[in-house]
Amino acid sequence: MRHGLFVLAVLALPAHAVQIDGRIDPDEWQGAQHVTDFRKTMPLNGEPASLATEAWILATPEGLAVAFRNVQPPEVPRTQQRVQRDFDESVDRINVMIDFDGDHRTGYDFCVSSTDGLYDAIVSNENNFNSDWDGNWPHAVRSDEQTWTVEVLIPWSIAPMRQAEVNRTLNIYLARVIGSTGERDAWPQASFERPRFLSDFAPIEVTNYSQSLLAITPYVSGLYDNVGNNSNGSAGADIFWKPNGQMQLTATVNPDFGQVESDDLVVNFSATETFISDKRPFFTENQGIFEFTTPSDFSQLLYTRRVGGPADDGVGAGDITAALKLNGSLGATKYGLFAADEADSVGRTFTAARLVRDFDTQNLGLMATFVDRPYLDRQATVVGVDHNWRPTARWNIQTRLFGSDIDDPAGKSRDTGATLWADYEMDHGWRQQLIAMHFGKELEINDAGYLQRNNSNYIHYEVRRRFTDMAADSRYQSKDWRWRVSSDYNDQGLLMNHQFRISREGRLRNGSYEYGQVNINSAGYDDLLTRGNGALWVPPNFNSYFDYERPRIGRWQYQVEANLFSGGLSGNDQVGFTVHVEPKFFISDAFNVYVGVLHDHTPDWVIWQQDNLIGSFNEHQTNFDLGFTWIMTNRHELRLKVQAIAVSADLKQAYRVVNGSAVPTSEPVDDFSVQTLGVQLRYRFEFKPLSYLYVVYGRGGYEQDPVSGDTGGMVRDSFSLRDDEQLLVKFSYRFEN
């Protein structure tokens, strides 16, 4: 009732502009909703915030304006370090999260640090954050000895919104984080550590404003290849058009996806593909409508890294000619259309269509993808239905049903997949979770999507308990324990494994974070190792993991990770380990340097060779990371990122997999070693939001030899690798109307 009375008062007030300068002028914010009841959500105990926080919310024709006044006296340390866009450092910051349609399906997170650093992300599936998206939204920060203040303006053109009449109901969440302690205070008392997050936002009613927007971002780039001794240039454009609040059109012509972002190096000898997120602007803009995920790690029906990924002839990457994306709504129904085309005879054509219908406590969606791969004479169609149901405040239930239809020279194949994800929140910090997944043996969604593996029938049951009533002298703010049992069989009835997992997550009063996990695995079959040439029975094993992250205190910040595990053909008879240490030193609030070292020893590393031939190796791996970040101003940034990986594997024994057993063989299998290097030195200057000049130097190399070696010396030697050495200059400028 209190919210309703307030809404009526606000709607009676005339709209007026707010100057986004960080100074909260009472006249400008007259009639705004005033929020003061911030409660602790980290730790999640609902107690009043330890420091006073006020916020104001005001709908204007230009956008939704939000202001924060954060009390932070000198005795509470204030973080002053500058941060990159989409930072993850534990610094003083505020969050504004908005579900514009109020349907609990997609939220937008807008975060500002006390030093005016930015983070923005899309929130889907209640509490899944994707920071690949970047938006254009004005913001400003001011501070004095006792407080710091923030003003932000979220334009109505930032996202497609379904049609409304005079007024619009949207859901909102406001939060403030104290960097030195990690305390998060929020209104309303919602938490992304719970299964329901978007659904717990506070509804507010505002005048239904609408904005149109036409934004064109042309680019030019030049690349000099110092190894090939050649150069080339390119030009293209991204186009964003929002004629009204209900529709958005995004297009790209001859997009340039030069290496202005640097992916982490990966050495992968397993049978499963490594997932890599997508930072390319066209593919992150308003991508939330196409979110169709399952509980399987990273799985989704539309994995945009496929577009412009490795070409079907195995030579280089696909050359994207153009791509188009249309988002909108018709009443309570949202829709999305996606299409992308690659050039030349090895090029592919990708299309996707999406429909979502929202109801009071649930929503129902339909998604279809189609990929034409003429070089492989292959066509792949995938259709899926997703249903999200929130019958009460305690329940969150997600179901997925999808199937694939493949036509290629090997013949036609069809199969299905289905998943169920149910979370139930009880009293006193207790929660329960049930996840069940079926992926058929012939299910194939990886032409357009991503699924780590098919041919799986998995179920787990998990009980969790959160402790937030810690003693005053405890070093912890909260602890979260989890106990899980699971089973996994393939479609032929072979047991992959039974597993018991116990884990604990701890948040400390100094802002540190720690996580520990132990998995005890039964014996079972590995049906992926030989790539379809027979399943291998492996004995019981275990693996454990510990991670400790300490935020910046003084000039130092560091992270420590450690693994202890068994496995391979020896089961628990041999134990391996991984240790990773990465300290970061702050020369100033604008300049930091980090060095990371990882060493891994796997005494029984089983690697596939060919058909049913495998080898057991004694493996050592050393990773070396080095870099710096110099944020001269929030518009000037210089970054160095160096990664080197060395892997050495000494053959212990070769085997043939016969009827599930590893049969020793004297067939020749070589020792081997791998060295790889990646170096990127990048300067970025931001002319204005989403308009950049990049100057990027990159160098890399990969070498694999049929001999083993000392990984420390191999890391040093890797700096002589020079398969690629390039200088890229890219200029893009966004024009808006």
Side-chain angles (χ1 to χ4, degrees), residues 93-112:
R93 60 195 186 273
I94 61 94
N95 291 85
V96 178
M97 303 191 198
I98 306 172
D99 173 3
F100 288 100
D101 286 333
D103 57 13
H104 322 299
R105 189 170 186 93
T106 304
Y108 292 78
D109 181 10
F110 307 93
C111 175
V112 183

Side-chain angles (χ1 to χ4, degrees), residues 154 247 336 341 381 522 563 614:
I154 314 301
M247 188 182 78
D341 188 60
T381 303
S522 73
N563 292 356
I614 61 174

Side-chain angles (χ1 to χ4, degrees), residues 563-636:
N563 292 356
L564 198 65
F565 53 87
S566 63
L569 298 173
S570 59
N572 293 316
D573 293 339
Q574 298 187 59
V575 177
F577 68 88
T578 303
V579 177
H580 176 218
V581 180
E582 185 171 298
K584 181 181 291 186
F585 180 72
F586 289 82
I587 298 173
S588 70
D589 289 322
F591 194 100
N592 65 74
V593 180
Y594 68 90
V595 177
V597 178
L598 178 149
H599 186 73
D600 173 87
H601 175 220
T602 304
D604 189 7
W605 192 32
V606 181
I607 300 297
W608 176 67
Q609 304 299 305
Q610 62 187 31
D611 48 68
N612 68 339
L613 180 65
I614 61 174
S616 171
F617 296 85
N618 184 30
E619 179 263 5
H620 289 269
Q621 175 176 330
T622 300
N623 296 7
F624 177 74
D625 296 277
L626 170 69
F628 68 75
T629 301
W630 183 17
I631 305 176
M632 294 159 270
T633 71
N634 285 332
R635 297 171 63 188
H636 291 265

